[in-house]
C-alpha cells in the first residue's frame, strides 16, 4: 500500500473500522482506528482497512449506509461502478472520504468480498490537523486479533 504525506491544510480523518458479523454486532470484535487524509478516496480507505486487518486486497467491495441490510441502502459506493458494471451507486475510485464522511459519528458498512462477505462498520470518529512528517494512511490504534482471511488449506488437498 502506498503511503504519502498529507498536503498542506489537509485535515486528517480518524476512522474506526470494526469487524462485525452479519448482524452488526461489534462487542469484543477487533477494530482499527486509521488516520487518513480527507482527500483520499474510498478506494484508498478500503485498501487501508483491508491492509490493517492483514487481508489481501483481492476482492470487490462497497460502502453502504444500511448497516444491517446493505442491499436496501439508499447511499452506497461500489467498485463495480468503477469497473463499468451496472450499479445503482457511484464508484469508489473518485469519491473522496470527506464527501461521504461529512459529519462526526457517520457510519457506513464496508462490505469486502461479496463471496465470503467480510463486514466492517466504518465510523468517522474525529477530524484533526495533520501530523508533521507522518505518512498516511496510519494505524493509530489496533485492538483485537484479526481472523485469517482464508481458512488454512488442508495439507492432503491436491489441486
Amino acid at each position: 500500500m502506498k503511503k504519502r504525506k498529507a498536503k498542506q491544510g489537509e485535515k486528517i480523518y480518524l476512522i474506526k473500522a470494526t469487524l462485525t458479523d452479519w448482524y452488526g454486532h461489534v462487542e469484543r470484535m477487533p477494530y482499527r482506528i486509521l488516520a487518513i487524509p480527507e482527500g483520499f478516496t474510498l478506494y484508498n480507505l478500503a485498501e487501508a482497512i483491508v491492509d490493517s486487518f492483514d487481508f489481501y486486497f483481492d476482492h470487490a467491495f462497497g460502502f453502504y449506509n444500511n448497516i444491517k441490510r446493505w442491499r436496501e441502502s439508499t447511499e452506497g459506493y461500489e467498485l463495480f461502478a468503477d469497473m463499468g458494471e451496472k450499479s445503482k451507486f457511484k464508484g469508489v475510485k473518485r469519491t473522496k472520504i470527506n464527501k461521504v464522511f461529512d459529519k462526526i459519528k457517520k457510519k457506513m458498512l464496508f462490505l469486502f468480498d461479496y463471496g465470503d462477505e467480510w463486514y466492517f462498520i466504518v465510523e468517522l470518529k474525529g477530524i484533526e490537523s495533520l501530523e508533521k512528517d507522518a505518512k498516511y494512511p496510519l494505524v493509530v490504534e489496533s485492538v483485537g486479533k484479526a481472523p485469517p482471511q482464508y481458512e488454512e488449506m488442508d495439507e492432503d488437498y491436491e489441486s
Side-chain angles (χ1 to χ4, degrees):
M1 150 168 272
K2 276 190 197 175
K3 293 188 173 214
R4 72 160 171 86
K5 288 184 178 181
K7 296 172 185 160
Q8 188 66 36
E10 193 171 27
K11 296 291 183 194
I12 304 303
Y13 279 42
L14 295 176
I15 296 181
K16 182 178 182 180
T18 306
L19 186 63
T20 182
D21 61 17
W22 290 358
Y23 308 105
H25 299 125
V26 295
E27 194 172 322
R28 293 190 297 278
M29 297 297 272
Y31 69 85
R32 309 291 180 258
I33 297 180
L34 306 167
I36 299 185
E38 65 181 319
F40 270 39
T41 65
L42 290 178
Y43 185 90
N44 302 130
L45 174 59
E47 189 176 19
I49 292 168
V50 169
D51 187 61
S52 73
F53 280 87
D54 295 321
F55 285 8
Y56 293 103
F57 193 54
D58 58 354
H59 293 281
F61 58 87
F63 290 86
Y64 304 95
N65 70 334
N66 190 325
I67 289 173
K68 294 190 179 191
R69 292 187 177 91
W70 65 272
R71 286 185 173 98
E72 297 173 18
S73 291
T74 56
E75 179 186 3
Y77 307 88
E78 297 177 328
L79 182 60
F80 294 128
D82 294 305
M83 297 165 53
E85 293 187 27
K86 189 176 178 182
S87 173
K88 71 177 188 174
F89 298 119
K90 293 179 182 177
V92 294
K93 289 191 173 181
R94 288 191 204 104
T95 304
K96 304 279 188 208
I97 291 171
N98 62 1
K99 298 298 180 203
V100 176
F101 292 94
D102 53 357
K103 61 182 183 263
I104 304 294
K105 294 188 178 180
K106 180 171 181 184
K107 292 181 184 179
M108 297 285 284
L109 172 72
F110 169 54
L111 170 55
F112 177 70
D113 184 350
Y114 293 87
D116 285 341
E117 295 187 349
W118 289 99
Y119 294 99
F120 300 83
I121 294 177
V122 180
E123 178 183 4
L124 177 59
K125 299 298 281 183
I127 301 173
E128 297 185 345
S129 299
L130 66 97
E131 198 173 300
K132 190 178 179 184
D133 298 326
K135 289 196 176 180
Y136 299 97
L138 187 66
V139 177
V140 294
E141 188 175 347
S142 178
V143 174
K145 187 173 188 252
Q149 182 178 4
Y150 300 111
E151 293 297 320
E152 296 298 317
M153 296 292 283
D154 185 345
E155 289 179 23
D156 296 330
Y157 177 78
E158 292 188 66
S159 51

